[in-house]
Amino acid sequence: MRITTLVTLLAAPLALAACDSGDNTEEMNEMPMADGQMADGQMPMDDGDMPMMGSDSAMQTASAEGTVTAIDADAGTITVDHGAVPAIEWPAMTMGFEADEQLRQDVAVGDAISFEFTTGEGGNTITSITKK
Ligand SMILES: [Cu+2]
C-alpha cells in the first residue's frame, strides 16, 4: 500500500511533467483541428446573417409627395421639400435622398413630385418618381 502510494507520488510529478511537454505538443497539433472545427462552427454563424436580413427588412419603403429643391449630381442626391409621411412617422421637411442618375435626370428643381423611397440603415433612397 505504502509502496503504491510512493510510486503514485513519484509518478505524479513525472506524469505532470510529461503532460506539460506532451500537452504543448498535442495542443499545437490539436489547434489546427480545433480551427477546422471552428470553421465548421462558423457555418451556423452564417445564420448570423438572419438578424442582418432582419435589419434589412427594417429597411422600410414609403411614398411621399413634395417639391424638388435641389439636384446634386456629385453627391447623387435629390433634395425634396416633402410632406409628412405618416407611414414612417416623418414630419414634413426638406431633405436629401440618394437617387440614381436616371432619376436625377428625370426631374428638375421646382418639379412637384410624388415618389417612393426606401429608408433604413443604408440611408434614404428614392426608388421611383412620378411628376405631378
Ligand atoms: Cu424627410
Side-chain angles (χ1 to χ4, degrees), residues 8 13 15 46 53 60-62 71 82 97-98 101 104 116 123:
T8 302
D46 286 343
M53 290 177 68
Q60 293 180 288
T61 300
I71 300 169
H82 70 75
F97 292 86
E98 291 179 38
E101 184 176 4
R104 295 198 307 273
E116 293 187 345

Side-chain angles (χ1 to χ4, degrees), residues 4-119:
T4 301
T5 301
L6 282 173
V7 169
T8 302
L9 288 174
L10 288 172
L14 290 175
L16 286 173
C19 282
D20 285 346
S21 60
D23 281 353
N24 289 340
T25 302
E26 289 177 14
E27 285 178 5
M28 290 301 287
N29 290 336
E30 289 175 2
M31 289 305 288
M33 292 188 64
D35 287 345
Q37 291 171 354
M38 289 296 289
D40 289 341
Q42 285 174 358
M43 294 302 289
M45 288 187 67
D46 286 343
D47 291 345
D49 287 346
M50 296 304 287
M52 291 189 68
M53 290 177 68
S55 62
D56 283 347
S57 66
M59 180 79 76
Q60 293 180 288
T61 300
S63 59
E65 297 185 352
T67 301
V68 176
T69 62
I71 300 169
D72 189 328
D74 290 334
T77 61
I78 296 176
T79 303
V80 183
D81 179 0
H82 70 75
V85 190
I88 54 175
E89 299 180 344
W90 277 14
M93 73 183 88
T94 299
M95 62 184 286
F97 292 86
E98 291 179 38
D100 65 26
E101 184 176 4
Q102 183 63 55
L103 289 172
R104 295 198 307 273
Q105 291 179 345
D106 282 349
V107 297
V109 172
D111 280 353
I113 60 172
S114 58
F115 60 102
E116 293 187 345
F117 61 97
T118 57
T119 180

